Each structure stands twice: as structure tokens, then as C-alpha cells.
Amino acid sequence: MSETETRLNFIEQIIEQDLADGKNGGVVATRFPPEPNGYLHIGHAKSICLNYGLAKRYGGAFVLRFDDTNPSKEETEYVESIIEDVQWLTGENLSDRIRFASDYFEQMYVFAEELIKKGKAYVCNQTLAEMRDNRGTPSIPMKPSEGREFTAEKNLDLFKRMRAGEFNEGEFTLRAKIDLASPNFNMRDPVMYRIIKAAHHRTGDKWCIYPMYDWAHGLEDSIEHITHSVCTLEFEHHRQLYDWFLDNLDDIWRPHQYEFARLNLTYTVMSKRKLLELVKGGFVSGWSDPRMPTICGLRRRGYTSEAVRAFCREIGVAKMNSIIDVVKLENAIREDLNKHALRRMGVLRPVKLLIENYPEGKVEQIEAVNNPENEAEGTRLIPFSRTLYIEHDDFMEEPPKKYFRLSVGREVRLRYAYYVTCTGFDKDIDGNITQIRCTYDPTTRGGTSADGRKVQGTIHWVEVNSALGAEVRLYDRLFTKENPDDPQDLADYKTYMNLNSLEIIANAKLEPSLADAVAEQRFQFERIGYFCKDIVNSDNATPIFNRTVSLRDTWAKIEKKG
Ligand code: ATP
Ligand code: MG
């Protein structure tokens, strides 16, 4: 099914109804509102695809808005990475659609004064801890703060002095005057502003009062004329407050909030706080470590933006929280790369194969198909000679039944080249196999025999003298437990780290054409998996290839056996 043929999700249904009813002047405007306190992960990708996709589908507007209202955890590095990731994922230059909540601080301040003047906000001298102690229970209302009874003039004066920096952190807050007995605790006179004396990544020292998320978010949506403010389910109980703030301001654009279920993936943790912990603790090499569920990690691993978008489409948008099997994500990239990746030959654990009856010094060029899924990709020539590298485990001294690869006396096909029959092997004094010997049948050039003789195994190879030495990095899941983040589990999620999630192969041998690979180019190494030339270390003297995903889901096999 194509993007437009799929069934409408519940948000699309709402939008179509709104359009039919002529709401919002017939326009659709969405936003993706990250807080720049970490790198984006695959969960954010779901939100980006949804919000950006809605705008695109309904000919509407989309903005990337940084929700940068808390100076203490936010950094420019995060802003830059988020812009790069969103542009990569959407495939669009968004430079004219980037907004910062901090650009609205003055406007928000004016709105806050409006509420104070209306007697709907007041300055409170309780500390956050006191507020927590005073908040009551479902049947006992919150204890009132004396600021509730101040005149609007007095509150306005205090608020101005808060802004002017006359008070210390924690001394005062601005709170909305709503309902101390509300069953929704978010409505029990929530804090709108607190004093933070820290430099902001954009406004510097201009401000020492900063708006709280609930106050700021609806205003940001309103200022940008957002129509459908889509967020995750944990904000459901905040919607009443979102509405209250907007309903109590005059002459503003009125956006509406809708919630959907966040993405959770098996064998993965997905909170920025935990991902930061993995980075800081040295459990991974950084935010873009190819094992990370971050967008830049997936990209470095070899994921295409098309595959990530296809995955997000497949999982859909609903209101029920669930955990998606990470295999779905892996299958999305397999499917994409199967169609588009060029086929190459590469030997990860090389052992020499000597073709005893092949002329010494002779090198011939063997034609190989670049992509059987796409004829237009054509063919290439690969050198072939008397000595090749083959995969160590494509030979067995004492083969079990059903082992169709090389063993003494057995004939196999060298992919695209010839049939060879194993004649013997050599070992060093420690008993390690140093070389395998065989003879070839010159009449089987191209890998087919004229007499119709069949072989059951086909193995890949690389010619020794022209081989490209490479480092290959094999990745596995970061966690061994399906739900490392299970709130019922008292153990720390780091207890479940997979200690074998990275294997570095320093001496792989690849076919020579891979010397021309460019950073981020993706390939299928035949019979092994999909690989991507590393973006970060693309100038390394020895090229580095990251395994994106194996050809098949090897975990499924292990689980069935288990
Ligand atoms: P985390 O909980 O991972 O730390 P966050 O929600 O604090 O993320 P924000 O920067 O606030 O991160 O998120 C920006 C937007 O992305 C929000 O609208 C949020 O609802 C959405 N989002 C965050 N995590 C997910 C997820 N796992 N699935 C879908 N959307 C998500
Ligand atoms: Mg958040």
C-alpha cells in the first residue's frame, strides 16, 4: 500500500472532519517540539513523521520548534543535531521553518501579565517542596498560598520584580489561580514561572524567570497558529490546563491538543535521560554510536530515511501504549536495502584457497551482477586468480550431514566464477588451518556447468592480491532483555546490557571495487548482510564498514531453538 492508500489514523480522521466543518479557516498547521536536551531517537522519528506527514498530506504548514524553556539542561550541540536529524528524516531543508520558544519569552510575559491583571495568576512565596507538601489528596484540597488573596496590582508589582532579578531562585513563583480542589492535580494552581539564574543558550542573561512547560507550550502553539498540537499520551492529563490557559487569554489563535501513544521498542531504552547516561558512562562511543536508537545512530548504522519512514508508517498511530518488536524496524531496513543496495563480495574471516590447477600469474576478470533486484544497476568485473580468500567457516575438516560448503572431496560453486573441488588443506604447527587446496573446472566459467552437473553450495570469495583490507564492525542489540525499562523490574536497566553488542573484525578482505565506496554508501556483502561505510571515520586509511543488519533475523532462529 502506498502512503495515501493506507487507512486514516485517528488524527487524520479528526483533521478531515475539521476541514469538512471549515474549522481553522481550512488550514492545517503542525509542529514538532523537541526540547534541546539530548539527541533525537526513533520515538521522536514517529512524532516527526506524524506531524510532518500531516502537514504534507493536507497541504499545511509544519515547523520545527525548539521548546527551549529550561536553560539548565539545554545546549547548542543538541539544537544542531536535532536540525540535522529532522532534515535528514524528512529529506527537506527546513531552515525557514525553525522556531525557538525562547523567541517568544517577551510575548509570554505579556500574556502572564494579562492573567495577573484579570486576577487569574498570582505570585507565591512557597518553595516547590512546600507546594508538594501542601498539595493535598483527591479528597483534601491544596493549602492556599497567601498570594491568592493579593490584589492584582501587588501581584503585578511582585512579578515585575521577579523579572528584574530582585529575588533569589526558589523565593517566588508565578502561579495560575484555578482550583485548589480539582481532581486533576495539574489544575491545582500550577506554577507558570520560576526563577532560574542561569544563562540560556540563546537569550543569555536577559531572563531570570523561565516559563513552565504547561504554560509555555500552548502559547507557543498559539503564537505559531498551530491547528493540531499533537503530543504523546503522558500529556493527556495536561490538556485541561492547556485549554484553561488559552481560554483565559483574549484575542489569541486557539490551537487544540491531541494525544497518541509513544513508540516503545523491544531490547531498547528510549528516554533521553537514559541515552545520555549510556553516553556519559562510556557504554557506547557517543550519541551516534550505531547501536544507539538515536536517529544519527541509526543513520550511521546504515539505516536510510526511507526505511525509518516506512517503519513509522507500518506501526501506525493509535492511542494504546504498546511495545513494538525491534524486528519490525530491522525488517524495514532489510526490505529497503534488498531493493537498493549494491551487491559486493567481502570475506570477514579469511582463509586462503589455492586453486592448484589454475595457471600461476594469470588474472582474469569475472562479471558479477550489481543488484539482481534492479537490472539497471548492471554488472562489474572482479579479478580472479590462483589464490583467493574464502570465509573460514565455509570449510570444514569433518563436515556434518547437510553441510554443503567445502570439505575434502566436495565440489562447490565460487560465486559468479567456477566450480571447485576441495583436494586438501594445510595446517601450521599449532593445528590451525592455513590454506585450503582445490582444483577448478575451467568449463564452468560463470558458475554454471555445461553438463548440467549441480552443486549444492555457493560460496563467496575475494582475490588475494587485489583485496581491500577493511575493518568491519558487527553490531548487536544493546540489551539482552526484551523490556530493559520495565517499571516492575527493580534492577537498573544497565544490568541488562549486552556485553557482546560490538564485535570488531580488523582484517576483513573486500573486493577491490569497495575502495571507491563513499561515506554512508550501503552495500549487501553477499551471504553476510548489509553494510554501510562509516560516516564518522570515512577518511580512515583502513576503511570501516558497519553492519546495518544481517540478511535474515538470526535472533528468531535462536529463540525458536531455545
Ligand atoms: P524522552 O521522554 O525520550 O526523554 P521527551 O518527550 O522528553 O523524550 P521531547 O523533546 O520533549 O522529548 O519530545 C519532543 C516530541 O517528541 C514530543 O512531542 C514528544 O511527545 C515526542 N516523543 C518523545 N518520545 C516519543 C516516543 N517514544 N514516541 C513518540 N513520540 C515521542
Ligand atoms: Mg519532554
Side-chain angles (χ1 to χ4, degrees):
M1 265 190 286
S2 81
E3 223 160 316
T4 45
E5 279 170 301
T6 47
R7 217 162 52 88
L8 295 186
N9 65 46
F10 78 97
I11 295 175
E12 289 164 342
Q13 287 172 14
I14 291 169
I15 291 182
E16 299 212 348
Q17 191 58 53
D18 288 350
L19 289 174
D21 296 345
K23 280 196 193 154
N24 305 313
V27 299
V28 173
T30 60
R31 84 289 174 264
F32 172 66
E35 185 183 352
N37 61 353
Y39 281 59
L40 298 183
H41 52 60
I42 181 77
H44 294 115
K46 175 177 179 179
S47 175
I48 297 164
C49 289
L50 174 60
N51 282 296
Y52 177 81
L54 290 171
K56 197 151 181 126
R57 176 169 189 147
Y58 296 104
F62 168 82
V63 294
L64 164 57
R65 176 215 306 151
F66 289 96
D67 206 346
D68 56 348
T69 52
N70 181 355
S72 33
K73 285 185 284 178
E74 298 164 1
E75 287 174 30
T76 311
E77 175 197 346
Y78 298 139
V79 170
E80 285 164 5
S81 76
I82 289 170
I83 294 173
E84 180 166 354
D85 290 348
V86 178
Q87 294 194 140
W88 176 78
L89 185 62
T90 58
E92 264 211 73
N93 182 331
L94 296 169
S95 48
D96 60 341
R97 277 164 281 176
I98 295 170
R99 306 283 181 273
F100 290 89
S102 53
D103 288 344
Y104 313 145
F105 282 170
E106 188 65 48
Q107 176 70 63
M108 291 177 187
Y109 179 84
V110 172
F111 284 135
E113 286 200 340
E114 182 182 334
L115 288 190
I116 297 171
K117 286 176 196 157
K118 288 174 170 167
K120 293 182 174 182
Y122 62 89
V123 171
C124 170
N125 64 357
Q126 293 177 5
T127 62
L128 293 178
E130 282 167 342
M131 266 181 240
R132 215 173 305 124
D133 293 342
N134 291 342
R135 79 186 152 185
T137 66
S139 56
I140 303 173
M142 188 174 204
K143 275 197 201 134
S145 152
E146 58 178 319
R148 252 188 162 247
E149 304 309 323
F150 292 165
T151 61
E153 289 68 35
K154 176 161 182 178
N155 277 316
L156 204 54
D157 175 62
L158 282 170
F159 188 49
K160 286 188 170 138
R161 290 167 60 194
M162 274 171 70
R163 174 181 180 167
E166 284 187 32
F167 308 120
N168 296 320
E169 281 189 17
E171 213 172 331
F172 287 106
T173 58
L174 183 73
R175 293 174 67 183
K177 189 171 172 178
I178 309 181
D179 180 2
L180 295 175
S182 175
N184 180 349
F185 278 54
N186 294 315
M187 301 299 279
R188 293 191 174 185
D189 287 16
V191 173
M192 294 165 62
Y193 279 92
R194 70 265 198 239
I195 299 170
I196 302 179
K197 300 212 165 162
H200 184 279
H201 74 117
R202 282 176 68 84
T203 57
D205 292 326
K206 178 159 184 226
W207 293 89
C208 62
I209 54 170
Y210 288 92
M212 298 295 287
Y213 176 88
D214 284 321
W215 164 242
H217 203 81
L219 299 181
E220 295 158 19
D221 288 340
S222 176
I223 291 166
E224 290 168 359
H225 285 212
I226 299 300
T227 56
H228 298 80
S229 176
V230 182
C231 61
T232 35
L233 280 177
E234 67 271 23
F235 294 105
E236 201 169 11
H237 297 297
H238 295 248
R239 189 183 344 117
Q240 197 183 356
L241 181 54
Y242 179 100
D243 288 341
W244 188 91
F245 281 133
L246 295 172
D247 288 342
N248 282 285
L249 292 166
D250 296 329
D251 305 322
I252 54 153
W253 175 264
R254 183 65 165 87
H256 289 271
Q257 175 182 308
Y258 304 92
E259 309 88 20
F260 70 102
R262 61 197 291 122
L263 169 66
N264 299 298
L265 272 185
T266 57
Y267 301 100
T268 309
V269 298
M270 196 100 83
S271 100
K272 283 189 274 193
R273 186 180 62 75
K274 287 176 184 156
L275 296 177
L276 178 63
E277 219 169 62
L278 295 179
V279 171
K280 289 234 161 105
F283 295 96
V284 292
S285 65
W287 287 97
S288 73
D289 186 300
R291 292 166 292 178
M292 290 281 270
T294 49
I295 295 182
C296 59
L298 289 166
R299 177 177 172 184
R300 186 172 172 198
R301 175 100 173 230
Y303 275 73
T304 61
S305 56
E306 289 83 357
V308 176
R309 293 201 301 265
F311 167 74
C312 291
R313 254 195 322 274
E314 193 199 330
I315 58 174
V317 176
K319 260 186 127 55
M320 271 281 278
N321 275 316
S322 65
I323 302 186
I324 302 286
D325 192 340
V326 72
V327 167
K328 277 210 166 83
L329 179 63
E330 294 165 354
N331 282 338
I333 188 62
R334 270 193 198 102
E335 215 171 288
D336 183 18
L337 294 178
N338 179 46
K339 275 186 231 137
H340 301 115
L342 295 177
R343 273 51 171 180
R344 292 292 183 258
M345 290 206 282
V347 175
L348 301 194
R349 294 171 181 87
V351 63
K352 276 186 184 163
L353 177 73
L354 176 72
I355 308 172
E356 294 168 317
N357 61 339
Y358 194 88
E360 259 178 85
K362 175 173 170 179
V363 178
E364 63 183 299
Q365 301 294 328
I366 300 286
E367 187 175 29
V369 175
N370 282 328
N371 184 354
E373 301 289 320
N374 181 3
E375 253 180 53
E377 296 281 8
T379 62
R380 68 193 183 284
L381 296 174
I382 320 175
F384 182 95
S385 79
R386 184 176 155 91
T387 344
L388 310 174
Y389 288 116
I390 62 168
E391 223 49 81
H392 212 291
D393 66 2
D394 278 338
F395 171 80
M396 281 189 95
E397 235 180 298
E398 286 165 44
K401 264 193 196 161
K402 293 205 172 166
Y403 183 83
F404 297 126
R405 294 169 272 168
L406 271 183
S407 57
V408 176
R410 188 177 281 281
E411 184 169 52
V412 300
R413 175 189 295 108
L414 293 176
R415 182 82 165 135
Y416 301 116
Y418 293 101
Y419 285 12
V420 292
T421 302
C422 184
T423 52
F425 57 92
D426 304 316
K427 286 185 171 177
D428 63 16
I429 46 170
D430 299 322
N432 300 313
I433 293 174
T434 53
Q435 173 168 272
I436 296 155
R437 284 177 277 110
C438 68
T439 55
Y440 85 120
D441 176 352
T443 69
T444 56
R445 193 172 200 276
T448 51
S449 89
D451 61 12
R453 180 168 99 246
K454 293 258 185 303
V455 288
Q456 275 176 299
T458 298
I459 65 175
H460 59 275
W461 52 273
V462 169
E463 197 274 328
V464 165
N465 296 312
S466 57
L468 173 71
E471 176 176 320
V472 167
R473 297 178 180 173
L474 306 180
Y475 300 102
D476 205 339
R477 295 172 185 172
L478 260 184
F479 295 93
T480 53
K481 188 166 179 266
E482 186 166 300
N483 182 3
D485 235 353
D486 185 355
Q488 310 290 327
D489 188 339
L490 296 180
D492 186 277
Y493 69 97
K494 293 193 287 304
T495 331
Y496 303 112
M497 296 222 61
N498 176 5
L499 301 177
N500 302 313
S501 59
L502 168 63
E503 182 186 354
I504 295 184
I505 294 180
N507 294 309
K509 301 290 182 184
L510 310 181
E511 67 167 78
S513 69
L514 283 164
D516 301 329
V518 296
E520 224 181 338
Q521 198 175 357
R522 303 167 181 91
F523 301 93
Q524 183 194 101
F525 291 178
E526 293 207 33
R527 297 179 64 228
I528 301 181
Y530 295 100
F531 291 80
C532 173
K533 177 146 178 195
D534 196 51
I535 314 175
V536 178
N537 301 299
S538 63
D539 301 331
N540 246 36
T542 305
I544 298 172
F545 288 86
N546 296 312
R547 183 173 69 192
T548 311
V549 69
S550 56
L551 285 185
R552 273 167 294 276
D553 177 15
T554 48
W555 280 79
K557 248 190 281 170
I558 292 166
E559 273 158 24
K560 261 190 213 130
K561 264 193 217 156

